[in-house]
Amino acid sequence: MTVMPPKKLKVASLCELCHSRKAVMKRPKNLMKLCKECFYNVFETEIHNTITSNQLFHPGEKVAIGASGGKDSTVLASILKTLNERYSYGLTLVLLSIDEGIKGYRDDSLATVKRNQQQYEMELEIISYKDLYNWTMDEVVGCAGIRSSCTYCGVLRRQALDRGAAKLGINHVVTGHNADDMAETVLMNLLRGDANRLEGSTRIMTQSADSPIKRSKPFKYTYQKEIVLYAHYKKLDYFSTECSYAPEAFRGTARELLKGLESIRPSCIMDIIYSGEHLVLSKKKKKQTVKYKNKKAEEIEVNPDGSVSTNRCIRCGYLSSNEICKACTLLQGLEMSRPKLAVDSEADGAAKLTKTLEGLSF
Amino acid sequence: MSAIERVSRTDITCQRCKQNTAILKARSEFHCKECYLRLVRGKQRKQMSTEKYKINYKKSKLGTLEKVLVAFSGDVSSLVLLDVLGNLLQEQNQTHRGLQGFEIVVVNLDEKELKELNIEVEGILPELLSRYEPVEIIFKTISLNSFVDFKSLNQIYIENDFSSTANPVDINDCSFLDLLKRCPNKSSAEDLLTIVFEKLLLQAAYEEGCGTIVFGHSMTRIANEIIALTVKGRGSSIHRLISNRTETYNGKEIDIIFPLRDLLFAEIDEYATLSDLKKYAVHSAVVKSRVSKNLTIRDLVSNYFSNLDTTGYSSTTSTVMKIGQKLGSSESKVQNTCKVCGVNIYQDPKNWLKTITVNDPAPIQTDEEKEYLELYLSSLQHSSSGKIAGENIVLCYGCITTLNGVTDDEFIWPIEPLINLEYKDVMKGANKQQVLNEFILTDTEDDEL
């Protein structure tokens, strides 16, 4: 059987950057037709540019990657390993996972993280809510209901990441927040009138004087669609199910608006981030009234670096702007609702039940 | 719960005057017709409560009254604003024996061709202005071609590295509509049109000697602008474009006020219904598409806020407007000024974009790839049109992304043009025959189309 010679590519179907390979995709950021190799190159180089221009890392640093098994954190781990080797950042990378205790969801995603641990040859540390707080999310939902589950989980996870990093002796945590998340946050802060968060909503690295743990987002300027494409072409192993308890409320409306805008203006996500970086609150002019003149200024302790000391939680000792931190407040509310006796020690949560019901067929 | 609810029961009394029967519920209170109209008018008076708009006997004698330019497009918001101002002047006229605190100049930018309006704006004005007799109101219509300064026309091109190049173009005859049709998409045209409108109105205020420009923007429209500016990458301009502020134009200070900024569009629409203003409303004859791809950024954000109103989140509109008011100018130093829209630039958008958008190819490795590259280069030589090297110009981020996508067509735009206002002739006295003549002319234009 005679093998036909390979078909010649047309000039119009070539990659718009190298003009020498077949284009296999349309890039979401600027709708250019690219081949695989050029896409890898621009994707990785952009993240490298973001890291170097913002000076996220320094040589010898130990960095924890917040790994959930999803596409963002999986691609982040892969990219950081690649760039660390290619550009000699000199980093020690560690995977840090949080086990919220949602049966049918988190145990599957943690299995993915363990496979990533083998593939990328990184250490893996798993922190569970049960160990830290003596509550699993299944139990929290049982007490507080599904509607407010994201509030509890968000507060607990944020503290759990800090605690996990401190336990490993790491003071830098990177998360996989991408450009879509950033744009969504900017819009949400505008729509909710959250003035306090508005200025800092686009910062790539957040750090406070009292907390030794800093966080950064190397994917700040990376589109979510490009992360999906990169994971697809690199055949990365990731877990893609959404959280079982996550309700879509006000954030869903902002996301819908963002999708509509993106269809008519591909660069709108980057435009929103650029705008977010320029949103500045005007300084308030305080009126001087008679009763203020007699008021003594409260003495505030000033640290040597100029920052003002904030409170620490009297219960767990972590950073808090109040006497008791938010996590302890939420846990205290939960404790009062906890049943004194466990009716069934083998009871499954709502997540497992939902999955079982979905699997049923008549 | 919507912003306005009609009341059909007859046993509910107005909560303000306690006498008449309530016809609607707004802001958690029941209102009769008169009290609702008074509520809306009170919002405008609150915004224009400074001394310069009040009656001043000395100024009245000297003829140096403050002149107020009303940006009038014929839609519901500008109709309501004109009605509220007209009523205020009428009341001043009656109360103070023929005196008034300020004069009104109604300025309309001619959008009939652009938006395919259902009626000429000047066709409705004589009857509309007669509602406010004996107050004398001046009316002007400005052609959009006023913005086209042939000496400043340049072909603008965005390079691959996001630098902007401008080449002078020798064109002697083209209309504003021709320039706008060269835009990459509808949102770009809308963005540029907003810039043009602002400049034309400032020039008109300067020439007419007006110290104030008022817009009929509602709270909903202002919230819409805040989100739309954020989406266009113009976040640094939000504080400037939606605040009551003072602009300096050719050395003259001009106040810009949004008197209806505390009212939702639904509330303004209700005022128009109760005041019998709906018959004058001018709207586009083009039916808006329902497909997202055919809409502009402002349309999408408008639909978003409309959905919020129906689903009970109408307070989001006021929340967005309030946070927009809290914004200030950036603390960074002003580096440059955009050549197209005149906005201050605080951060070089070119470097910002180059960092996050890499346009370099991966290296060529195989012989087959080299063959394809040579094939591409040979085909390029046949169809290559030599790009004339032009002068580098400075654009802001919003203009770069608006004009990005200009690749094949030639985009031509005036750069810092000298604006020469072209006024259309408008009759001042209203009588029946002239109205009929006006409508006949309209019919003639329809035939030509």
Side-chain angles (χ1 to χ4, degrees), chain A residues 25-32 34 39 42-43 45-47 50 179-180 219-227 229 262 265-271 273, chain B residues 162 352-359 397 401 404:
Chain A
M25 68 166 75
K26 215 167 37 166
R27 189 174 185 205
K29 183 172 270 184
N30 47 20
L31 303 182
M32 292 175 88
L34 300 184
F39 175 64
V42 298
F43 186 81
T45 309
E46 279 167 14
I47 296 170
T50 303
D180 297 50
F219 280 173
K220 179 189 173 184
Y221 301 112
T222 309
Y223 276 45
Q224 186 182 51
K225 291 186 173 70
E226 295 192 357
I227 290 171
L229 286 168
E262 202 175 0
R265 187 174 168 121
S267 67
C268 78
I269 285 171
M270 218 53 65
D271 300 345
I273 292 177
Chain B
F162 303 105
W352 194 87
L353 281 163
K354 264 200 281 191
T355 303
I356 64 167
T357 306
V358 169
N359 279 325
Y397 181 94
T401 49
N404 208 16

Side-chain angles (χ1 to χ4, degrees), chain B residues 291-344:
Chain B
V291 181
S292 281
K293 293 226 170 191
N294 290 332
L295 298 177
T296 63
I297 288 175
R298 193 179 284 155
D299 294 333
L300 279 174
V301 181
S302 287
N303 292 346
Y304 176 75
F305 279 113
S306 299
N307 289 336
L308 284 186
D309 193 40
T310 55
T311 56
Y313 284 113
S314 60
S315 61
T316 303
T317 306
S318 64
T319 303
V320 172
M321 195 194 73
K322 279 169 185 148
I323 196 170
Q325 284 176 174
K326 290 181 182 175
L327 299 176
S329 64
S330 181
E331 291 145 10
S332 313
K333 290 181 180 176
V334 177
Q335 291 185 11
N336 252 310
T337 304
C338 178
K339 294 291 183 181
V340 166
C341 64
V343 149
N344 290 333

Side-chain angles (χ1 to χ4, degrees), chain A residues 199 280-286, chain B residues 326-329 331:
Chain A
E199 274 184 328
V280 178
L281 297 178
S282 61
K283 293 166 182 174
K284 280 191 172 180
K285 304 158 189 171
K286 292 187 176 178
Chain B
K326 290 181 182 175
L327 299 176
S329 64
E331 291 145 10

Side-chain angles (χ1 to χ4, degrees), chain B residues 175-377:
Chain B
S175 67
F176 182 77
L177 222 55
D178 296 334
L179 297 185
L180 218 57
K181 279 171 182 170
R182 295 168 179 265
C183 285
N185 51 61
K186 282 185 182 178
S187 292
S188 303
E190 186 185 67
D191 197 25
L192 293 168
L193 197 61
T194 304
I195 296 165
V196 171
F197 274 26
E198 189 192 341
K199 292 189 176 178
L200 288 179
L201 287 170
L202 281 171
Q203 179 73 24
Y206 175 78
E207 290 190 8
E208 295 293 321
C210 298
T212 304
I213 299 176
V214 292
F215 290 90
H217 288 358
S218 63
M219 182 192 287
T220 311
R221 169 65 182 271
I222 290 176
N224 193 337
E225 285 298 307
I226 292 169
I227 301 295
L229 287 169
T230 303
V231 170
K232 290 175 201 165
R234 300 182 183 274
S236 58
S237 308
I238 289 176
H239 77 280
R240 208 182 114 256
L241 292 175
I242 61 135
S243 306
N244 291 354
R245 68 193 190 270
T246 302
E247 294 264 348
T248 304
Y249 188 83
N250 285 344
K252 179 180 167 64
E253 284 197 348
I254 299 173
D255 290 331
I256 294 174
I257 299 180
F258 302 90
L260 304 180
R261 68 185 297 121
D262 285 334
L263 292 157
L264 293 167
F265 181 77
E267 294 167 334
I268 289 171
D269 195 68
E270 190 66 24
Y271 180 102
T273 303
L274 295 178
S275 299
D276 209 18
L277 289 166
K278 279 300 189 61
K279 59 188 179 185
Y280 302 110
V282 177
H283 60 268
S284 176
V286 179
V287 181
K288 286 235 169 173
S289 174
R290 294 210 167 239
V291 181
S292 281
K293 293 226 170 191
N294 290 332
L295 298 177
T296 63
I297 288 175
R298 193 179 284 155
D299 294 333
L300 279 174
V301 181
S302 287
N303 292 346
Y304 176 75
F305 279 113
S306 299
N307 289 336
L308 284 186
D309 193 40
T310 55
T311 56
Y313 284 113
S314 60
S315 61
T316 303
T317 306
S318 64
T319 303
V320 172
M321 195 194 73
K322 279 169 185 148
I323 196 170
Q325 284 176 174
K326 290 181 182 175
L327 299 176
S329 64
S330 181
E331 291 145 10
S332 313
K333 290 181 180 176
V334 177
Q335 291 185 11
N336 252 310
T337 304
C338 178
K339 294 291 183 181
V340 166
C341 64
V343 149
N344 290 333
I345 298 172
Y346 300 98
Q347 181 189 17
D348 188 1
K350 185 169 64 171
N351 290 338
W352 194 87
L353 281 163
K354 264 200 281 191
T355 303
I356 64 167
T357 306
V358 169
N359 279 325
D360 297 328
I364 297 169
Q365 284 161 356
T366 64
D367 292 340
E368 186 185 14
E369 290 168 2
K370 285 175 186 172
E371 285 179 21
Y372 282 125
L373 181 59
E374 287 164 6
L375 192 65
Y376 169 81
L377 290 176

Side-chain angles (χ1 to χ4, degrees), chain A residues 4-23:
Chain A
M4 292 177 59
K7 188 181 283 185
K8 280 285 184 177
L9 295 171
K10 296 178 180 177
V11 173
S13 68
L14 293 176
C15 172
E16 285 185 25
L17 281 184
C18 63
H19 310 293
S20 55
R21 284 175 277 258
K22 181 184 179 181

Side-chain angles (χ1 to χ4, degrees), chain A residues 47-278:
Chain A
I47 296 170
H48 172 64
N49 286 347
T50 303
I51 290 170
T52 51
S53 64
N54 292 275
Q55 298 165 48
L56 297 186
F57 306 130
H58 60 264
E61 194 173 17
K62 206 174 177 188
V63 176
I65 301 170
S68 62
K71 63 185 181 304
D72 294 327
S73 54
T74 299
V75 172
L76 181 61
S78 170
I79 282 281
L80 286 186
K81 179 178 164 63
T82 302
L83 297 182
N84 194 30
E85 292 165 359
R86 182 183 298 172
Y87 297 105
S88 304
Y89 292 159
L91 304 175
T92 303
L93 300 168
V94 176
L95 294 174
L96 177 57
S97 285
I98 307 296
D99 178 6
E100 294 94 355
I102 305 173
K103 278 188 179 177
Y105 164 71
R106 185 51 83 194
D107 40 356
D108 293 346
S109 66
L110 285 180
T112 308
V113 178
K114 283 164 184 166
R115 290 199 298 273
N116 293 156
Q117 178 194 13
Q118 306 302 321
Q119 294 157 12
Y120 305 136
E121 299 161 6
M122 296 176 187
E123 291 177 40
L124 168 62
E125 185 75 24
I126 300 180
I127 308 291
S128 79
Y129 282 4
K130 192 67 176 178
D131 293 342
L132 284 184
Y133 309 114
N134 201 24
W135 285 83
T136 63
M137 275 309 294
D138 287 340
E139 293 167 1
V140 170
V141 169
C143 281
I146 290 183
R147 177 159 294 274
S148 51
S149 56
C150 290
T151 302
Y152 286 90
C153 190
V155 169
L156 298 183
R157 184 211 313 280
R158 202 174 309 125
Q159 199 189 73
L161 270 177
D162 280 356
R163 288 214 209 174
K167 177 182 173 183
L168 298 171
I170 296 174
N171 61 4
H172 197 162
V173 176
V174 291
T175 55
H177 289 95
N178 52 53
D180 297 50
D181 299 330
M182 289 288 208
E184 222 172 83
T185 302
V186 172
L187 280 187
M188 289 286 300
N189 289 338
L190 279 176
L191 292 168
R192 284 188 310 189
D194 203 333
N196 292 327
R197 283 186 230 262
L198 191 64
E199 274 184 328
S201 60
T202 50
R203 281 196 211 111
I204 195 168
M205 188 190 303
T206 54
Q207 187 181 12
S208 66
D210 284 291
S211 172
I213 316 287
K214 57 181 179 179
R215 294 164 179 261
S216 54
K217 305 155 192 158
F219 280 173
K220 179 189 173 184
Y221 301 112
T222 309
Y223 276 45
Q224 186 182 51
K225 291 186 173 70
E226 295 192 357
I227 290 171
V228 175
L229 286 168
Y230 188 84
H232 168 72
Y233 285 117
K234 287 280 187 175
K235 297 181 173 55
L236 301 182
D237 175 17
Y238 65 90
F239 187 73
S240 57
T241 307
E242 286 292 327
C243 175
S244 319
Y245 293 133
E248 292 265 347
F250 196 58
R251 177 170 281 268
T253 68
R255 191 174 291 137
E256 286 299 315
L257 173 63
L258 206 55
K259 282 178 184 173
L261 291 164
E262 202 175 0
S263 66
I264 63 173
R265 187 174 168 121
S267 67
C268 78
I269 285 171
M270 218 53 65
D271 300 345
I272 292 171
I273 292 177
Y274 187 84
S275 286
E277 291 179 358
H278 285 79

